[in-house]
Amino acid sequence: MTHHPDPGRFDARLPDRTTPALVIGAGVAGLTTALRLAEDTEVIVVTAAPLGLEAATDWAQGGIAAAMDADDSPQAHALDTVNAGAGLTEPAIALLVATHVPSAVRWLAGLGVPFDRDATGGFALGLEAAHSARRIVKAGGDGTGHAVLSTLVEAARANRRITILERVVATALLTDDGGRVAGALCQAIGGDSLVIGAGAVVLATGGLGALYAETTNPAGATGSGLALAGRAGARLRDMEFVQFHPTAIDIAAAPGTPLPLATEALRGEGAILRNGRGDRFMADVPGRELAPRDVVARAIFVQRARGETVVLDATHLAATMETKFPTVTALCRANGIDPARQPIPVCPAAHYHMGGIAVDDRGRASIAGLYAAGECASSGLHGANRLASNSLAEALVFGERIAADILAADRPCEGAVLRLAGPPLRSPKLADVGAALALVRGIMARHVGVSRDAEGLDAAVLALSALAAKGFATAEIGLVIAVTARARLESRGGHDRSDHREQRAPVHSETTLDAVLDPGPAGAALRDMGLPDGVVADTIAFHRRPAAAELSSNPSHTAPPMAAVPA
């Protein structure tokens, strides 16, 4: 590798190496994209951890939502997705994913994923919350994520067209003279920096749950891909929508330490939520324990706010718990709980980000040459509330579509001079970066969590602005979430405003990072988003960047009827 002693002083450079496509991230979205690309071209995959480790895919207990049964259909799957999305799911995208995910499941089976089978040899299908049919494809009971990721890792390592750079972090996107994303500045952990030129760059960096004190996500899920894209000027959509999984296992853990998960499938098999008095508090809620995740999470939040403990009682599954749910059983026993005999203590925890880098139906971001897949992307599938087990489905379908679009464009990497698209990210191992993350977690947990209000969000905007002004990327992403949450004066899906229980016409929020970081001397962008003058004035004092495009939304968006599947 070529050594660049100070990446922050990076100037225009020729790349150290080039590739037709660069994939940043190695979960299911990244590896699916890489394997699909490798059918016709070479690709480089950059991953901060050893391949197969620290990816949220590995932790996915639910499965893959796919209409595989003769009595089910992609149309029914799409309708369930739209209904769960609380007005912001794009029906055409829902139908696209639902139509193509069965073939993606068969592709995985062809690679060797050991999916659970029924007595006839067909897929054994599970039921999860807000699904109208049994359509959850599983492997190893509740070990689907691990089985899928292990298979993809093995396939990627065996593919000679895929170059895997492990323990290498992308710190900035790079552009050519035309403003097209054409590579990335990378840093080997504990080593040198590297300039990679690429015909196309795919961000598949996962979510941002680790910006919260209580999360089910890996420690590295701090929104790095959003920061890379945001600093390059890409548009971000629906950032305020964070899904809190209702049933993280409530154990003593340091802030930001991933909480083990009691999978939704337990409730699909009849597990019941009770408070400390033994009351089944979901009994009168439509759908009961199988209501959409945002509904269940808020119900648990309310119980805990009243001082109640909450447990998930799955003891009726005692005879099959260990065989059907080996992962949950092991996680519980590791923390002194026997789920076959004891109710499982649970709490909501940041689990999935519905918003992200705005992309179209081929995964293309707003900047030429840049794609995004998986949790870091906002494709329009999840809307305001993700339907259970749709995340792996989306990653598989969009990974294939992105690869097809890149291959069709057949844009060679010409080794052009590259320039920074934005300031490089700093290492999370630096003391001040780690300290800032700890502060961000506290702010997000207190003010931008399961239930929000104007007072708390205003406090979050001010505190996060002060940290963002010092260049901390985690604070920048937290600030975008807080600003867009403050501006959405309604409750919808994963965004609950205790001071605005009503719903307005369904509208996507859309912004850029610069518009939030520097709303201009008059604060027009923040004021347009609904922040009060006092908060705007105080916030402006923290901003440091040149003015950029104003914050905007798409007021014309109203969820249309079910549309045809895009080609």
Side-chain angles (χ1 to χ4, degrees):
M1 295 185 186
T2 301
H3 177 61
H4 306 302
D6 186 356
R9 294 182 177 274
F10 179 96
D11 201 355
R13 296 189 60 89
L14 290 170
D16 297 315
R17 61 193 303 174
T18 61
T19 178
L22 171 63
V23 177
I24 301 171
V28 66
L31 292 180
T32 296
T33 305
L35 286 164
R36 295 292 197 175
L37 282 165
E39 293 172 8
D40 286 291
T41 193
E42 294 183 347
V43 57
I44 292 176
V45 176
V46 168
T47 173
L51 195 62
L53 299 181
E54 296 187 22
T57 302
D58 195 42
W59 301 17
Q61 294 180 15
I64 304 168
M68 309 296 291
D69 189 84
D71 294 330
D72 196 7
S73 70
Q75 289 75 17
H77 182 186
L79 184 59
D80 289 345
T81 299
V82 170
N83 289 338
L88 291 184
T89 289
E90 298 293 340
I93 298 298
L95 188 55
L96 182 154
V97 172
T99 299
H100 291 289
V101 69
S103 65
V105 169
R106 289 188 284 271
W107 175 74
L108 286 175
L111 290 178
V113 175
F115 288 116
D116 297 343
R117 303 284 179 164
D118 61 21
T120 68
F123 292 101
L125 303 173
L127 177 68
E128 290 186 352
H131 285 276
S132 60
R134 285 187 172 271
R135 65 168 68 99
I136 311 305
V137 182
K138 295 175 175 293
D142 56 0
T144 308
H146 179 74
V148 170
L149 186 61
S150 297
T151 301
L152 292 175
V153 166
E154 183 178 354
R157 287 202 184 278
N159 195 306
R160 294 184 178 181
R161 285 179 168 168
I162 299 176
T163 299
I164 302 165
L165 302 181
E166 299 174 85
R167 295 183 60 79
V168 173
V169 178
T171 60
L173 296 177
L174 303 173
T175 55
D176 60 19
D177 287 338
R180 180 184 181 88
V181 172
L185 175 62
C186 299
Q187 180 76 42
I189 296 175
D192 296 339
S193 58
L194 174 71
V195 175
I196 302 176
V201 176
V202 183
L203 293 174
T205 51
L208 49 69
L211 295 183
Y212 286 83
E214 292 180 323
T215 181
T216 64
N217 288 188
T222 57
S224 61
L226 300 177
L228 289 171
R231 289 184 173 193
R235 299 197 71 77
L236 307 174
R237 182 168 57 208
D238 292 341
M239 289 288 288
E240 62 270 36
F241 293 106
V242 179
Q243 185 176 79
F244 292 82
H245 197 289
T247 55
I249 300 174
D250 189 12
I251 60 172
T257 301
L259 294 176
L261 187 65
T263 175
E264 193 132 30
L266 284 169
R267 284 175 281 137
E269 296 297 330
I272 292 172
L273 288 165
R274 301 186 187 278
N275 61 22
R277 299 191 305 274
D279 298 333
R280 186 182 182 182
F281 56 87
M282 295 295 296
D284 297 326
V285 177
R288 296 187 173 185
E289 281 77 9
L290 290 179
R293 283 181 174 177
D294 61 302
V295 175
V296 182
R298 280 196 298 275
I300 295 174
F301 175 83
V302 168
Q303 293 291 323
R304 286 167 58 88
R306 294 172 179 167
E308 294 282 354
T309 57
V310 175
V311 296
L312 181 66
D313 188 350
T315 53
H316 70 289
L317 298 172
T320 59
M321 175 67 76
E322 192 160 2
T323 55
K324 277 192 172 183
F325 301 101
T327 303
V328 172
T329 300
L331 290 170
C332 285
R333 287 177 177 170
N335 288 281
I337 304 163
D338 181 355
R341 302 178 62 184
Q342 301 168 266
I344 305 167
V346 294
C347 66
H351 183 62
Y352 194 88
H353 186 216
M354 278 78 72
I357 303 160
V359 298
D360 65 10
D361 64 3
R362 296 181 186 273
R364 297 175 292 200
S366 60
I367 307 173
L370 181 64
Y371 296 78
E375 191 172 351
C376 71
S378 173
S379 69
L381 176 68
H382 304 305
N385 186 36
R386 178 179 70 97
L387 181 65
S389 289
N390 262 357
S391 55
L392 294 183
E394 179 193 39
L396 290 165
V397 171
F398 270 84
E400 180 180 12
R401 293 180 69 79
I402 287 169
D405 196 71
I406 293 172
L407 292 171
D410 192 25
R411 184 180 180 88
C413 181
E414 300 170 349
V417 171
L418 302 176
R419 293 172 173 81
L420 285 175
L425 304 180
R426 299 173 64 220
S427 170
K429 296 185 181 297
L430 295 174
D432 62 334
V433 176
L437 175 57
L439 292 172
V440 169
R441 284 172 173 156
I443 296 164
M444 298 297 287
R446 284 194 301 274
H447 302 307
V448 201
V450 174
S451 189
R452 307 157 176 180
D453 60 29
E455 182 180 2
L457 291 168
D458 288 347
V461 168
L462 292 178
L464 291 166
S465 292
L467 291 167
K470 297 177 181 179
F472 296 116
T474 53
E476 292 174 355
I477 299 306
L479 179 61
V480 178
I481 298 170
V483 166
T484 52
R486 179 61 174 85
R488 187 172 286 278
L489 304 179
E490 63 166 355
S491 292
R492 181 180 298 277
H495 170 72
D496 179 66
R497 285 287 297 262
S498 62
D499 53 351
H500 286 281
R501 294 296 189 191
E502 72 278 9
Q503 279 197 356
R504 301 184 173 189
V507 177
H508 287 297
S509 67
E510 195 165 300
T511 187
T512 64
L513 181 58
D514 274 335
V516 172
L517 292 175
D518 190 341
L526 293 182
R527 192 171 288 107
D528 287 349
M529 288 291 287
L531 271 70
D533 288 345
V535 174
V536 171
D538 289 342
T539 303
I540 289 171
F542 295 119
H543 295 315
R544 72 195 191 287
R545 293 190 178 185
E550 287 192 358
L551 212 59
S552 68
S553 64
N554 176 11
S556 64
H557 169 76
T558 302
M562 196 67 72
V565 181

